[in-house]
Amino acid sequence: MSWNGFKKSFNRGTTTLLQKTGQIERTVDREFTDEEAKFKTFEKECQALQKDSKSYWDAMRAMTAAQTRIADTLETFYGAADRTSEGAMAGHAYKRSVDDLDGGFSRELDIPYRTTISEPIGKMCAYFPVVNEHISKRNKKLLDYDAARSKARKLVDKPSEDPTRLPKAQQEHDEAKEVFDMLNDQLVAELPQLMDLRVPYFDPSFEAMIRMQSKFAEEGYEKLSGVQRYFADTIRDDYAAGQLDAQVEGVLQEMRELSICGAN
């Protein structure tokens, strides 16, 4: 930091301290405060959206990978018992279906999701540090303006023996006010415009996400419904009537009767 930069930072720190003790009046701009609060809320929501959209996609990828591993295990179970049974054929059909789903997910959805959802959200979030830098600069210039105004008022209330001090202080006040007003007016005008643009900006991403979710669900239903033909037509009714629970319990009982599964 240069010497001038150090002096400015020190003076602003002093001004902040004097404002807290009530010795220097603090400028309050409610219009800017309202717009800044809206922007901060938008920033927080976008950052959460970026995090959640990544978590969602990671979860989808993890689900398809886990589904594939489950299919591998089921095919091994059924294949080791009787490769010609309906269960073995169902296990093989299930594995083929989830392999197709997993491959299609990586091939058809991964890149589109990244380009239409992840990247646009990331680009929006990349603007926040830039906007915050403008806000920070505006706040620093506000401290300079408040300090210059306080200095000029003191010289008006208690004139100095040096006649040049008041005109110099007034000039510093006018210059500080001009710089602050320019930055403040820009933010007050453009922050609402940025907020208004968020909906049309995210519209394509939202539509793309819905389409991809729908495509994944439809393809999953289409491929997995083909596996159902290997099961009896009455299986749903049996499940509703609790007969499948009884069947499972019967198998568990047979397992308990095995000496290696019995209690010690």
Side-chain angles (χ1 to χ4, degrees):
M1 180 184 291
S2 65
W3 174 246
N4 286 335
F6 174 78
K7 285 200 304 182
K8 286 183 178 180
S9 179
F10 178 80
N11 290 337
R12 287 164 180 161
T14 302
T15 300
T16 300
L17 180 61
L18 292 174
Q19 285 179 333
K20 289 181 179 179
T21 58
Q23 298 180 58
I24 292 181
E25 182 182 356
R26 183 196 303 270
T27 297
V28 177
D29 187 332
R30 297 194 181 280
E31 186 177 11
F32 170 79
T33 301
D34 290 344
E35 296 302 334
E36 182 188 25
K38 294 176 185 177
F39 168 74
K40 290 298 183 182
T41 299
F42 175 52
E43 178 183 20
K44 182 179 179 180
E45 290 173 344
C46 278
Q47 290 170 342
L49 181 62
Q50 184 180 38
K51 179 181 178 181
D52 290 339
S53 64
K54 182 180 183 303
S55 297
Y56 167 80
W57 202 244
D58 289 344
M60 291 285 286
R61 297 178 71 173
M63 182 192 70
T64 58
Q67 194 171 240
T68 301
R69 293 193 297 271
I70 290 172
D72 289 338
T73 303
L74 289 176
E75 186 181 40
T76 300
F77 285 168
Y78 282 116
D82 183 359
R83 292 182 178 275
T84 62
S85 68
E86 289 187 350
M89 289 187 287
H92 180 69
Y94 178 67
K95 184 179 186 309
R96 188 170 61 249
S97 296
V98 297
D99 282 345
D100 289 345
L101 280 174
D102 187 52
F105 180 88
S106 300
R107 183 176 59 255
E108 300 176 16
L109 298 180
D110 195 26
I111 294 178
Y113 188 90
R114 186 164 59 250
T115 56
T116 61
I117 298 172
S118 298
E119 290 179 3
I121 295 175
K123 289 177 181 178
M124 174 60 77
C125 289
Y127 283 111
F128 295 138
V130 179
V131 177
N132 282 320
E133 181 62 28
H134 281 280
I135 292 174
S136 177
K137 186 176 181 181
R138 176 260 183 202
N139 292 339
K140 290 176 181 177
K141 296 303 180 182
L142 175 59
L143 288 173
D144 295 342
Y145 167 54
D146 285 345
R149 181 182 59 202
S150 177
K151 181 179 179 181
R153 281 182 180 176
K154 287 179 180 178
L155 288 172
V156 170
D157 296 339
K158 188 177 180 180
S160 171
E161 294 180 358
D162 184 353
T164 64
R165 290 189 63 187
L166 179 58
K168 183 179 178 181
Q170 188 61 49
Q171 182 181 359
E172 291 175 352
H173 165 272
D174 293 344
E175 291 175 354
K177 185 177 186 302
E178 182 180 0
V179 173
F180 165 71
D181 284 343
M182 179 186 67
L183 295 173
N184 190 66
D185 291 346
Q186 182 185 45
L187 285 166
V188 169
E190 294 187 3
L191 281 176
Q193 295 178 39
L194 177 63
M195 298 295 291
D196 290 341
L197 290 171
R198 71 190 188 279
V199 172
Y201 179 81
F202 282 125
D203 266 350
S205 295
F206 178 59
E207 181 180 354
M209 187 169 190
I210 296 301
R211 288 182 180 276
M212 277 184 270
Q213 284 183 327
S214 177
K215 179 178 177 63
F216 183 79
E218 288 172 358
E219 289 189 358
Y221 178 80
E222 178 183 348
K223 293 183 182 301
L224 294 177
S225 62
V227 182
Q228 295 186 38
R229 71 175 184 270
Y230 295 101
F231 299 105
D233 294 336
T234 59
I235 194 167
R236 290 184 180 178
D237 295 334
D238 291 344
Y239 176 77
Q243 294 181 21
L244 294 183
D245 292 337
Q247 179 181 337
V248 171
E249 185 59 36
V251 175
L252 286 174
Q253 182 58 39
E254 291 183 35
M255 293 172 61
R256 295 188 194 101
E257 293 173 359
L258 296 174
S259 58
I260 59 174
C261 296
N264 293 330

